[in-house]
Amino acid sequence: MTPLTSALQAHQFHAVIPEPLQFGRGLIVDLSPSSALWQSVSTNHSFADEIARQSTAMNAQIVIGRYAEQRLIYQDKENFSDSKNRTVHMGIDLGVPSLTPVFAPLDGKIHSIANHQNEGDYGPTIILRHQLEGITFFTLYGHLHQAAHTQLQVGDLINAGQQFTAIGTTAENGGWAPHLHLQIIENMGSNTDDYIGVVDPIELDFYRNNCPNPNLILKRSDLD
């Protein structure tokens, strides 16, 4: 366990989205190649349609996409045209309605604000810089609502519990169903306003160390 992982594990964070959603009844989606979900997918019924059906059937308050899960759903997206081997998801997806507020889990500064508009990309994106027990790290929030943070600037202080943005719509978030991609990053390397969220399995050991499980912040018991 790295020092950052230990610090995150011990700390109690503010909810990233409203608590009734973050800790509500959740549909944890399996998008791995062996998932039974694919048996229900057809030309006229996409995987997003099937997730929506399952969510409605169980009256889920949130749809959750898993950390370090291998997925093959990216391969037809423009954003992944550079590599057909990027298949492992390094964040957690929180599927909630568009315009749902997003709060800072702990004090931080705005490291970057961007709008990545390739198909399948993050869309509007904010990265916050934090200090915890002397350790610097970052949290990335992808698929946001651009209009919710137009007054923010790089360097702004964001307090724990402060709403600083909101969930984006499908029209602006890279073409996905509304959700938040939450990712922890210890070392940004040469990156500024972006960081890879789906990686090649060959590089998974590095990214597991550099991007620990976001459930260390969310603390949902069903994701342990």
Side-chain angles (χ1 to χ4, degrees):
M1 184 180 297
T2 67
L4 175 58
T5 299
S6 297
L8 294 169
Q9 189 173 64
H11 193 78
Q12 291 300 313
F13 297 93
H14 191 279
V16 174
I17 57 175
E19 285 193 12
L21 297 177
Q22 182 165 314
F23 299 104
R25 183 184 299 107
L27 171 63
I28 300 176
V29 178
D30 180 357
L31 288 174
S32 66
S34 61
S35 172
L37 177 146
W38 302 114
Q39 298 173 14
S40 301
V41 173
S42 67
T43 302
N44 299 315
H45 187 75
S46 69
F47 76 88
D49 294 333
E50 179 59 18
I51 291 169
R53 185 197 69 77
Q54 292 184 18
S55 176
T56 299
M58 68 173 289
N59 196 26
Q61 294 160 284
I62 184 171
V63 174
I64 301 171
R66 301 182 300 175
Y67 167 76
E69 176 180 69
Q70 185 174 21
R71 302 173 174 178
L72 301 181
I73 62 174
Y74 306 107
Q75 303 312 308
D76 62 346
K77 302 292 186 183
E78 178 184 347
N79 187 45
F80 296 86
S81 60
D82 63 323
S83 172
K84 296 300 182 184
N85 297 321
R86 289 171 55 197
T87 58
V88 183
H89 182 246
M90 297 311 299
I92 285 180
D93 292 330
L94 303 177
V96 291
S98 59
L99 308 188
T100 296
V102 177
F103 309 106
L106 74 165
D107 294 345
K109 288 185 179 182
I110 295 183
H111 175 76
S112 64
I113 304 172
N115 192 353
H116 303 290
Q117 279 298 312
N118 288 328
E119 181 193 8
D121 211 329
Y122 286 132
T125 308
I126 292 177
I127 299 175
L128 300 182
R129 182 180 184 272
H130 310 280
Q131 286 270 340
L132 185 63
E133 296 185 11
I135 303 169
T136 299
F137 71 100
F138 304 82
T139 51
L140 181 151
Y141 306 81
H143 311 299
L144 304 177
H145 182 50
Q146 181 75 11
H149 56 253
T150 55
Q151 302 303 310
L152 297 180
Q153 296 182 9
V154 171
D156 283 353
L157 295 174
I158 306 294
N159 296 320
Q162 177 181 340
Q163 179 184 349
F164 64 99
T165 187
I167 304 296
T169 65
T170 298
E172 66 181 336
N173 77 358
W176 305 101
H179 73 283
L180 175 69
H181 173 94
L182 174 65
Q183 187 165 338
I184 300 170
I185 305 157
E186 182 167 7
N187 186 343
M188 288 285 294
S190 61
N191 299 282
T192 54
D193 63 3
D194 196 5
Y195 196 85
I196 189 170
V198 179
V199 307
D200 190 319
I202 293 174
E203 301 176 309
L204 184 55
D205 286 346
F206 168 81
Y207 284 106
R208 272 191 180 274
N209 284 327
N210 200 46
C211 300
N213 191 339
N215 199 44
L216 291 163
I217 288 176
L218 297 173
K219 300 192 186 299
R220 276 193 67 111
S221 60
D222 54 0
L223 290 178
D224 290 339

